[in-house]
Amino acid sequence: MSRHQALLEEAERFIRMCYGELGRSEEETERRLVEVKRTIAEQGRYEHTEDELRHGARIAWRNSNRCIGRLFWETLEVRDARSLETEEEIAGALVDHIAYATNGGKIRPVLTVFRPAVDAGRQVRILNNQLIRYAGYETGRGIVGDPDSVAFTSLCTRLGWRGEGTAFDVLPLVVRIGDRAPRMFPIPRDIVMEVPLSHPELPGLADLRLQWYAVPIVSNMRLEIGGLSYTAAPFNGWYMGTEIGARNLADERRYDMLPRVASLMGLDTSRESYLWRDKALVELNVAVLHSYKEHGVMIVDHHTAARQFTRFEEREQRNDRSITGDWTWLIPPVSPATTPIFHKHYEDRTVTPNFFYQDRPHEAFEKAVNEREIELAESIVVPGCPFTPQ
Ligand code: ARG
C-alpha cells in the first residue's frame, strides 16, 4: 500500500468517526471527504479544520489506555498554534500554555498543537519531557535534584544554561526545528506555580523543604489524528496525588524521600516487616494532597480518581464505545486493591487518535553533537549561534 493510500484510509476513518460523533450531516461528511481525498491526491497531505483538530485531540485523550483521568476528555481545550514558524514563537506559545493551564491553581486541561510533521526538515520538537520539570545534577555528593533529568540537564548546560544548583531548579524550554541546533528559553519564574509541602499533623515534614510544581504538561509525545502526526502537541491535566507522593518524591531512583519521612516520624526502620516504608508513604501522600488543597491547586486523590474512572467506563458503555486500558498503569501505586480498577480486566489495545512515544530527541541530538564535534567547534564563530561547545 502506498503512503498516500495509507494516509487516505486513516483520514477517511477519522473524518467519519469525528463527524459522526459531532452529529454532522451525511452530506457535510461526504463533502469534506471529497475535499480531503482531492487534497491528498494533489499534495500528498491534508489539513485538519479546527473542529477536527479539537475533537481528534479529545479522542486521543479518551483512547489513552494508561490514563485514569479520562472522564474529563471532552473538556480538553485545544489551542491551535500550527501557524507558528520560529523557535521564539513556539517557546512563546509554550509559556502561554503554562500560564493559561495553571489559571492560578484552578487548572484547565489544555493541549497546544504545533504544525504536523509533513516535511521532515521543518519538524517541530520540544526536547523537554514535560514543560515544567526539575533539573538533576551529578555532583561529588551524589545527584542533586531529579535524577530522571540528569541527561536533559546536561544538554541544557551545554546550550549555555546555568541552574542555581538547588534540588528544585525549573529547567528551561528547549525547542528544535528540523535539524537546526536546539534553542533554549528559560521560563519566566512568575508563571511557574509551585507548592511547598507540609503535613496537617507532622510539623517536621515542612522542614524537609520539599515542593512540587502545580501542572504536569507532557511535551514529548506525538499526537496522531487521521494519519497526521503532530510531533509537538504538549498537553496537561491536573495531578493525581500519588504521582508526586508515591513516585516522584518516593522512588529510590527519584527523590528517594521515604527514609527521611520515616525518620521524622520516629519510625523504627531496622526491619522491613515493621512496614515503615508503607507508613511513610501514606503520610507523604497525605502531605501532597493537603498542601495542594491548602494552596488552592487542583489535585485528585487516587480513590476519587478511580471512582471517576468507573463513571467514565459507564458513560463509554452507554455510548456504545468499547473501552481499552492498561491495567498496570491504571491501578494507583498506593493501596491499588482498594479501588474497583484492581478487580477488573482491561483490553490493552491501541486505537487512534492517540498519543505515542517518540525517540528521545535530546539523546539523538547529543549523539549527533558527539559525532560532529569539530564542525560545532568551528560554528562557534557564527554570530547568534545558540550552541556553545565546551
Ligand atoms: N506522572 C507524571 C509526573 O509525575 C505526569 C504524567 C501526567 N499526569 C497527569 N496527571 N496528567 O510528573
Side-chain angles (χ1 to χ4, degrees):
M1 184 162 40
S2 75
R3 216 171 53 80
H4 283 189
Q5 188 60 31
L7 176 59
L8 201 85
E9 280 180 19
E10 280 297 300
E12 174 160 5
R13 206 177 53 77
F14 168 67
I15 298 290
R16 290 195 186 283
M17 166 170 61
C18 179
Y19 281 49
E21 289 187 15
L22 293 176
R24 302 288 167 81
S25 69
E26 194 73 9
E27 191 202 333
E28 189 180 353
T29 309
E30 294 308 322
R31 211 176 330 119
R32 175 62 175 142
L33 279 173
V34 168
E35 184 179 52
V36 166
K37 285 177 189 166
R38 184 170 40 79
T39 325
I40 293 177
E42 285 170 9
Q43 307 166 22
R45 62 172 77 173
Y46 76 110
E47 262 175 42
H48 289 136
T49 65
E50 287 212 12
D51 286 351
E52 290 161 7
L53 196 58
R54 183 182 315 105
H55 199 64
R58 288 175 175 174
I59 298 176
W61 184 4
R62 186 177 82 202
N63 285 338
S64 292
N65 289 359
R66 295 177 163 185
C67 178
I68 193 175
R70 287 183 271 166
L71 178 64
F72 303 99
W73 68 272
E74 277 171 298
T75 67
L76 181 70
E77 287 185 54
V78 175
R79 292 157 70 92
D80 183 0
R82 286 176 295 176
S83 64
L84 301 190
E85 290 287 339
T86 66
E87 290 90 346
E88 281 86 355
E89 288 170 340
I90 289 165
L94 297 177
V95 169
D96 289 347
H97 181 132
I98 295 172
Y100 185 77
T102 305
N103 191 28
K106 211 176 161 322
I107 297 169
R108 295 187 264 234
V110 177
L111 178 143
T112 300
V113 61
F114 298 95
R115 61 169 179 261
V118 272
D119 28 19
R122 293 169 68 243
Q123 186 167 322
V124 180
R125 290 296 297 269
I126 299 160
L127 305 210
N128 311 62
N129 291 340
Q130 292 181 29
L131 297 188
I132 302 169
R133 262 202 132 192
Y134 296 124
Y137 311 94
E138 305 255 25
T139 75
R141 302 165 289 120
I143 291 171
V144 171
D146 193 339
D148 200 48
S149 297
V150 168
F152 181 68
T153 303
S154 97
L155 167 66
C156 294
T157 307
R158 295 174 83 165
L159 293 172
W161 183 72
R162 287 290 169 272
E164 284 175 32
T166 77
F168 300 102
D169 291 350
V170 173
L171 287 158
L173 299 168
V174 182
V175 177
R176 187 177 197 195
I177 297 179
D179 57 6
R180 282 154 53 167
R183 300 273 313 270
M184 193 249 315
F185 303 88
I187 305 174
R189 268 191 117 93
D190 50 306
I191 68 154
V192 179
M193 197 165 176
E194 290 170 288
V195 177
L197 297 196
S198 63
H199 187 287
E201 285 120 35
L202 295 168
L205 198 135
D207 300 338
L208 293 177
R209 304 230 165 273
L210 297 176
Q211 62 180 59
W212 204 255
Y213 49 87
V215 192
I217 313 170
V218 173
S219 51
N220 58 353
M221 295 185 86
R222 174 174 72 81
L223 167 61
E224 186 181 317
I225 302 174
L228 295 185
S229 271
Y230 297 94
T231 51
F235 60 87
N236 74 277
W238 48 81
Y239 263 117
M240 179 164 83
T242 55
E243 298 183 85
I244 304 164
R247 303 300 313 279
N248 301 345
L249 295 177
D251 278 8
E252 281 184 21
R253 289 159 176 269
R254 301 292 299 286
Y255 281 80
D256 191 21
M257 296 308 297
L258 295 185
R260 301 245 210 119
V261 174
S263 131
L264 75 88
M265 289 170 70
L267 299 179
D268 183 346
T269 59
S270 61
R271 287 178 202 270
E272 287 296 349
S273 62
Y274 296 155
L275 302 188
W276 61 270
R277 290 185 204 276
D278 309 67
K279 291 182 178 179
L281 189 60
V282 168
E283 297 311 333
L284 183 54
N285 278 275
V286 167
V288 169
L289 293 168
H290 165 81
S291 310
Y292 273 62
K293 182 137 206 292
E294 202 173 60
H295 284 80
V297 177
M298 263 165 84
I299 194 159
V300 66
D301 67 84
H302 49 289
H303 302 288
T304 305
R307 219 163 328 109
Q308 290 168 343
F309 188 74
T310 304
R311 280 175 56 204
F312 166 68
E313 293 178 73
E314 290 164 357
R315 213 170 55 191
E316 289 305 290
Q317 213 157 32
R318 276 203 302 281
N319 285 304
D320 279 327
R321 286 190 291 258
S322 58
I323 103 133
T324 54
D326 180 347
W327 186 91
T328 64
W329 274 60
L330 289 172
I331 55 165
V334 177
S335 313
T338 65
T339 70
I341 300 172
F342 185 89
H343 306 277
K344 290 198 188 164
H345 172 83
Y346 297 92
E347 193 193 349
D348 189 11
R349 187 165 43 85
T350 303
V351 287
T352 55
N354 214 322
F355 296 100
F356 294 89
Y357 290 124
Q358 39 191 351
D359 66 317
R360 300 188 188 198
H362 66 268
E363 283 172 15
F365 178 71
E366 294 255 4
K367 199 163 148 259
V369 167
N370 293 337
E371 283 163 8
R372 303 187 321 198
E373 231 147 20
I374 298 163
E375 202 183 315
L376 274 165
E378 285 162 1
S379 74
I380 196 169
V381 298
V382 178
C385 173
F387 188 83
T388 325
Q390 325 194 302

